[in-house]
Amino acid sequence: MESASTPRSRAREQTMRDIVRIGRQHLASDGAAALSLRAVARDLGLVSSAVYRYVASRDDLLTLLVVDGYDELGDAVDQALAGVEREDHVGRMAAIGRAVRAWGLAEPATYALLFGSPVPGYEAPAEQTTGPGTRVVVRLVEVWEDAWQAGRIGLDDSPLAPRRLTRDLARIRREMGLSAPDALLARGLFAWAALFGCVTWEVFGQYGTATLTDPADLFEQHLDALVEAVGLARA
C-alpha cells in the first residue's frame, strides 16, 4: 500500500481532485445524464484510456460527484453550526436550514444530482453514499435530541399508530441511540423532508420570477414553521 506522502500518491490524489472538479463543471454545463468520462479526460489533458486508471466508468464518476456534493454540503452545515451555541436549539436548526439553502442556490447542478430526478441507469452505491448523504439529517436529529433532553420540546411521548410505524421509529431510535419519542421522530422526519422541499422549490425556480421580491423572506417564515412543527420551544 502506497504511503500518502509519496510523490506518486500525491499526484494521484491531485488527479482525482481534478477529475471531480472538471466533472462538476460538466455536470453544470451538460447535466448528469449527459456526463461523459471521455469529455472529462479531454479537459484534463488525458487520453480516454488513461483516465480509466483513475475512474472505471461514468457511474463511478457520478458516485465521486455524489459523495463530493454530500461532503461539501455537510461541511457547509458544520461550518454554520460552529458559530451557534449548543443550547440554542432554534438557532442551530435555523443555521442548518440557511446553510442548506445557501449551498443549494450556489451549487444548483450538484444539488439537482443529489436531490433531483434520478439519473437514468445509475443507482448510487449505498456503502459509499449513505454516510455522506445523512450528514445533514444527523445534525438535525442532534438538535432535536438535545432539545428533548433539555426539556425544550413541547410534545408528549405517546406511541403513534399504526404499530408498523412505531416499529420503524423504534429501529431508528436504536440505531441512532436516541431517547426522543415517536412523535418527535415523526415530526422531525417531516421537518427534514420539508426543509429540502422548500430549498428544492427555490433552487428549481418553482416560484417563478415575479412571485416574490426576495424568496429569502419566505424561507425565514418556513424555518419558523419547521421549528414549530417539531414542537421546539423558544427560549
Side-chain angles (χ1 to χ4, degrees), residues 115-148:
F115 304 110
S117 300
V119 180
Y122 172 73
E123 183 174 350
E127 66 275 10
Q128 293 174 255
T129 59
T130 298
T134 55
R135 285 179 62 182
V136 173
V137 70
V138 166
R139 293 293 175 261
L140 285 168
V141 170
E142 288 171 351
V143 174
W144 305 327
E145 174 71 3
D146 287 351
W148 174 257

Side-chain angles (χ1 to χ4, degrees), residues 2-15:
E2 289 185 9
S3 168
S5 62
T6 65
R8 182 177 178 181
S9 63
R10 289 197 298 271
R12 180 179 180 81
E13 289 169 2
Q14 182 60 56
T15 300

